[in-house]
Amino acid sequence: MTTNTDFKAWRVEEQDGSYVGSEQTLNTADLPEGEVLIRVSHSSLNYKDALSASGNKGVTRDFPHTPGIDAAGEVVEDASGKLAAGTAVLVTGFDLGMNTDGGFGEYIRVPAGWCVPMPSGWDARTAMIYGTAGLTAGLCVQKLLTMGAEPAQGPVAVSGASGAVGSVAVELLAKLGFEVVAISGKADHAADLKALGASEVVGRDALTEEKKPMLKPVFGNAIDTVGGTPLAELLKQIKPGGSVSCCGLVAGPQLQTTVLPFILRGVNLLGVDSVEIPLADKQAVWGKFSGDWACPKTEQSARDIGRSELDAALKAFLGGASVGKTVLHHSR
């Protein structure tokens, strides 16, 4: 395996009790053991990256560390012999960017079983516009469809609609013919959400805590990207037989609710994991996004940044100020 290639990475270190990220020069010999060495051209920003960069030990145990739970690029070497040099691949989930150095570096080394060949018609940047956030949105929609969701049931609510997951979910649901109610705390982005296909945009106060255990059923189904109280309030407003796909916890991991939505209306709470699911399941969703599920508005609105802009962009995630999709371009 190559052991002496220098490369740039955005590395997080602990300094006097704080966690500081900066661009550093590393060598491929510094990377963890693994079968496939990949030259990374693009990565994608996610909330989990922001947590890692802030020193959250629930995400990353040891520092210094290179975050980046998404990566796309070309295979340099593969000790397993499964992937030829020059093969375009993308890697999302598993341990990448958590405790294995991730896509915020120009090189990564990972198991062959983490690598997905680039879907037909995509380049690395397009793959990273979707990234883990797009994959998660696609899995959320797919779970609703598997449970029989259809437009005739009524509007689908999307909480955290301005975020990386929510914005893809809004466009995809609208493309599939659903009426979408986007729930967002960013009033100044209402026009953007309507451009993605939302028929209505409401503030996050629509999901403030109510003491009543049940509320008027107004949504046929929902996708919740934030957890906590908003998820509990969504469950109270789902029509009989409807479902809620749950994939986030920015509003908190606790869920204070009753069994009433489940036993009186038959509501289904569907958990969505995009990290440890089988590679074939990831490939199936990537294949849809590179085909019939393509979200051209999301692709057109994605913002590119360089490594020097990572610190501010990640802090925006933690401050709830991030919107849409942000792609890290290593050549910027």
Side-chain angles (χ1 to χ4, degrees):
M1 298 291 284
T2 299
T3 58
N4 59 351
T5 301
D6 287 338
F7 66 94
K8 298 292 186 181
W10 193 80
R11 193 94 166 147
V12 178
E13 299 178 294
E14 184 176 3
Q15 297 181 4
D16 299 323
S18 297
Y19 291 85
V20 179
S22 63
E23 184 176 290
Q24 300 181 18
T25 299
L26 303 179
N27 189 280
T28 51
D30 301 322
L31 293 171
E33 293 296 320
E35 297 165 320
V36 187
L37 181 66
I38 299 169
R39 182 183 298 110
V40 178
S41 62
H42 295 77
S43 186
S44 180
L45 274 64
N46 296 275
Y47 184 68
K48 193 174 286 184
D49 298 320
L51 291 177
S52 176
S54 71
N56 186 301
K57 293 300 180 71
V59 176
T60 300
R61 293 187 297 270
D62 299 314
F63 293 86
H65 173 67
T66 304
I69 65 171
D70 295 340
E74 290 188 350
V75 172
V76 176
E77 297 173 343
D78 179 13
S80 74
K82 297 177 182 177
L83 296 166
T87 300
V89 294
L90 65 100
V91 183
T92 66
F94 301 107
D95 190 52
L96 185 71
M98 296 177 65
N99 297 289
T100 299
D101 282 353
F104 291 178
E106 292 179 304
Y107 283 84
I108 58 173
R109 186 179 283 125
V110 298
W114 291 10
C115 302
V116 175
M118 193 68 66
S120 177
W122 272 12
D123 57 17
R125 180 180 183 272
T126 303
M128 292 295 91
I129 289 173
Y130 291 93
T132 288
L135 175 66
T136 303
L139 291 168
C140 285
V141 171
Q142 185 168 272
K143 279 218 169 181
L144 292 182
L145 296 176
T146 299
M147 294 300 292
E150 55 185 29
Q153 289 177 283
V156 179
V158 178
S159 67
S162 297
V165 177
S167 58
V168 177
V170 168
E171 183 172 1
L172 178 55
L173 287 166
K175 182 170 190 172
L176 295 176
F178 289 90
E179 177 186 350
V180 182
V181 176
I183 303 171
S184 172
K186 302 178 178 68
D188 55 334
H189 288 276
D192 295 333
L193 289 168
K194 288 189 175 181
L196 289 174
S199 58
E200 183 181 0
V201 180
V202 299
R204 65 164 64 105
D205 56 351
L207 297 179
T208 54
E209 187 172 7
E210 296 275 356
K211 293 183 178 180
K212 296 179 180 179
M214 297 282 275
L215 298 171
K216 180 181 177 180
V218 292
F219 303 120
N221 296 279
I223 291 177
D224 175 70
T225 73
V226 297
T229 296
L231 173 56
E233 295 306 309
L234 265 180
L235 290 167
K236 299 176 184 179
Q237 301 178 59
I238 303 300
K239 293 182 178 181
S243 301
V244 179
S245 290
C246 164
C247 66
L249 48 61
V250 67
Q254 301 300 321
L255 180 60
Q256 301 294 331
T257 188
T258 71
V259 299
L260 296 183
F262 310 112
I263 66 174
L264 296 183
R265 291 181 183 160
V267 171
N268 306 292
L269 179 57
L270 312 173
V272 174
D273 167 37
S274 62
V275 178
E276 296 291 344
I277 62 172
L279 206 62
D281 292 348
K282 294 184 178 183
Q283 287 180 290
V285 174
W286 294 133
K288 290 181 178 180
F289 274 126
S290 64
D292 294 342
W293 280 15
C295 295
K297 296 172 184 175
T298 295
E299 293 180 23
Q300 292 165 10
S301 64
R303 179 172 69 101
D304 289 358
I305 65 171
R307 289 186 299 273
S308 64
E309 301 168 270
L310 276 171
D311 188 63
L314 292 169
K315 286 176 179 175
F317 265 99
L318 294 177
S322 180
V323 297
K325 299 297 281 103
T326 303
V327 177
L328 171 64
H329 197 313
H330 277 297
S331 65
R332 284 175 64 97

